[in-house]
Amino acid sequence: MTELARALWYTAPQTIEIREENLSKPSGNRVYLKTVTSALSRGTEAIVFRGDVPISERERMTAPFQEGVFPFPVKYGYANVAEVLEPAGELHTGQRVFSLFPHQSHFSLLPDALCLIPETIPSTRASLAANMETALNILWDAGVMPCAHVTVVGAGTVGCLVAYLCARIAGVQVTMVDVNPKRQDIADAFSCAFSLPEAAPRNQDIVVHCSASETGLNTAICIAGQEARIVEASWYGSRSSALSLGGDFHSQRLSLICSQVGQVAPSMRARWSHKRRLQAAISLLDDDVLDVLLAPPIAFEDAPEDLVPVLSGETDRICQPIVYA
């Protein structure tokens, strides 16, 4: 038996389509699922949307359940909240699960690829799980200690979640830095300070850079204190970045490291699997204050048109949920 599934595809530069495909009903131990909501990973999917995935990174940047190859056409995405229609393993009908599956109405996966969502976490907030997993990995890479002074440069979804987590470590003072003064409201909600780049506090113990811009990274270098750590958490796609490595960087013996979610941070890797990390990230979403990051949802059937201004940067959105009929 087959069902008709509908999926979002990036088919050409700045072009999105919904395509239909026949989906065989699962057999054996595969779980049959109906998507409730998915979320746009705005930074990464904007690069996919433009066709800017570098040739050197196309294999590494392939999403776990992607179809097609870069640049186009590709079925891309990795923030899916779905309801179990036909169970397998220990999952039951009606339970909600998170997976790294693209934007698609129906699909089937093995149980090991699914993480159960607690009943206390709404579906739209649960769609933040992949970004929260990235933020958690960044904190592990950064080694944030109690009472540290931490600045996060770039208040997109990941940057905001990094600030949220840091602010909940005892004694840590967190400043969110962004060019958009409207991010002040999010900083207030998360009990963080806020600053425009030109007024960012200096002599910071740890600076996390999440703006994916040359200017933002140089701001991070400028405000780091003596022998401080700068964590580069951005992905630039095919864009290059000129760094200011004289002056403060050299004389203050700064450390610049990369954090990337594809591998568990070295400090935790021996004991933590990807699935354990993702399940932990989901548990961290059980806080109503995180709803401040969620834009009004758009309907899946309207996504080819409504996502264009979001991915083009014409609208001021943090996390964009997509809801399915």
Side-chain angles (χ1 to χ4, degrees):
M1 295 179 62
T2 61
E3 291 265 344
L4 199 62
R6 292 171 64 76
L8 206 69
W9 285 75
Y10 297 98
T11 56
Q14 301 187 34
T15 304
I16 304 172
E17 297 178 8
I18 291 178
R19 294 183 171 182
E20 294 184 343
E21 55 186 77
N22 289 322
L23 181 68
S24 297
K25 280 294 191 74
S27 58
N29 63 342
R30 294 180 71 87
V31 183
Y32 184 51
L33 302 147
K34 176 184 179 181
T35 301
V36 177
T37 185
S38 61
L40 201 67
S41 184
R42 185 175 156 194
T44 302
E45 291 193 54
I47 292 172
V48 175
F49 174 68
R50 297 192 302 265
D52 282 347
V53 179
I55 293 174
S56 63
E57 298 302 304
R58 287 178 180 175
E59 182 176 349
R60 279 191 287 259
M61 293 311 300
T62 298
F65 301 104
Q66 173 181 320
E67 291 186 27
V69 294
F70 298 120
F72 304 105
V74 287
K75 180 170 69 176
Y76 194 84
Y78 47 81
N80 187 296
V81 175
E83 179 183 341
V84 175
L85 294 182
E86 294 186 15
E90 297 181 358
L91 294 172
H92 306 295
T93 301
Q95 288 183 312
R96 293 173 305 136
V97 291
F98 182 87
S99 70
L100 301 174
F101 204 83
H103 313 287
Q104 181 167 312
S105 62
H106 298 77
F107 60 100
S108 63
L109 283 180
L110 294 170
D112 283 349
L114 305 170
C115 287
L116 192 63
I117 298 169
E119 293 182 0
T120 53
I121 300 176
S123 294
T124 50
R125 195 191 312 151
S127 68
L128 288 165
N131 291 128
M132 180 62 92
E133 182 184 18
T134 300
L136 177 60
N137 210 54
I138 290 169
L139 258 70
W140 289 347
D141 279 323
V144 180
M145 303 292 285
C147 299
H149 288 209
V150 179
T151 289
V152 181
V153 179
T157 308
V158 170
C160 289
L161 290 171
V162 169
Y164 167 84
L165 292 178
C166 287
R168 278 140 188 83
I169 299 173
V172 172
Q173 297 182 35
V174 184
T175 302
M176 295 170 60
V177 173
D178 200 272
V179 296
N180 185 350
K182 294 180 180 178
R183 297 293 186 261
Q184 173 82 60
D185 293 341
I186 297 173
D188 291 344
F190 289 174
S191 301
C192 299
F194 176 81
S195 174
L196 295 173
E198 57 270 22
R202 298 186 175 246
N203 198 34
Q204 296 297 286
D205 299 311
I206 294 174
V207 184
V208 180
H209 178 238
C210 300
S211 81
S213 72
E214 175 183 306
T215 302
L217 181 52
N218 284 316
T219 296
I221 292 172
C222 182
I223 65 177
Q226 180 79 19
E227 297 188 344
R229 174 174 292 183
I230 302 160
V231 182
E232 175 55 273
S234 304
W235 184 43
Y236 292 77
S238 60
R239 291 176 294 127
S240 60
S241 177
L243 301 184
S244 299
L245 297 182
D248 290 346
F249 184 83
H250 188 72
S251 64
Q252 297 211 100
R253 297 172 51 87
L254 302 180
S255 297
L256 175 61
I257 68 166
C258 173
S259 181
Q260 204 277 336
V261 73
Q263 296 187 63
V264 176
S267 61
M268 308 294 279
R269 193 176 301 163
R271 299 168 302 281
W272 283 71
S273 66
H274 285 81
K275 184 168 184 177
R276 182 185 177 192
R277 183 183 63 181
L278 179 55
Q279 197 71 66
I282 292 171
S283 71
L284 293 171
L285 296 173
D286 198 0
D287 187 346
D288 293 347
V289 74
L290 292 169
D291 290 341
V292 72
L293 300 179
L294 300 171
I298 65 171
F300 173 71
E301 295 297 332
D302 297 331
E305 180 178 349
D306 289 354
L307 285 182
V308 171
V310 178
L311 291 167
S312 300
E314 299 170 17
T315 60
D316 182 24
R317 303 287 176 93
I318 300 290
C319 178
Q320 179 60 69
I322 302 168
V323 292
Y324 295 67

